[in-house]
Amino acid sequence: DAEKDVASAPSATGASQMRWPVRGRVVANYGKGNDGIDISVPEGTPIKAAENGVVIYSGDGLKEFGNTVLVRHDNGLVTVYGNASKLNVQRG
């Protein structure tokens, strides 16, 4: 269903790279079988999107990720933010 979402992502910030979504300890880097960067933070730490985008999923239906938010960016990339203690955003 997330791919069917027609909402447009806001323009990128113009920064040359994505921002870190949260400050914390990197417990797993991208590569070698890992499709992302895993960051450990205390429960309840606010997480921000790495770049402007549209929330295309917010829920707990992805078993491996617990409470999860998916954000689609204007370049088509989707970032995943999982294992959140609570979700403060909705799709769209």
Side-chain angles (χ1 to χ4, degrees):
D1 287 342
E3 291 182 8
K4 296 176 188 173
D5 192 335
V6 295
S8 297
S11 296
T13 60
S16 62
Q17 299 178 17
M18 290 193 161
R19 300 171 299 252
W20 285 92
V22 68
R23 285 185 177 216
R25 184 171 59 91
V26 175
V27 294
N29 285 308
Y30 179 80
K32 295 185 181 178
N34 192 18
D35 290 336
I37 299 171
D38 297 338
I39 304 169
S40 177
V41 295
E43 185 173 341
T45 300
I47 302 166
K48 297 180 180 181
E51 177 57 275
N52 288 343
V54 172
V55 174
I56 59 173
Y57 177 82
S58 179
D60 65 356
L62 303 174
K63 191 166 131 181
E64 296 177 20
F65 296 108
N67 284 333
T68 305
V69 173
L70 302 180
V71 178
R72 186 184 67 232
H73 306 283
D74 67 348
N75 63 359
L77 181 72
V78 174
T79 52
V80 180
Y81 309 89
N83 297 309
S85 56
K86 67 180 185 175
L87 301 174
N88 295 324
V89 296
Q90 298 174 359
R91 186 174 171 199

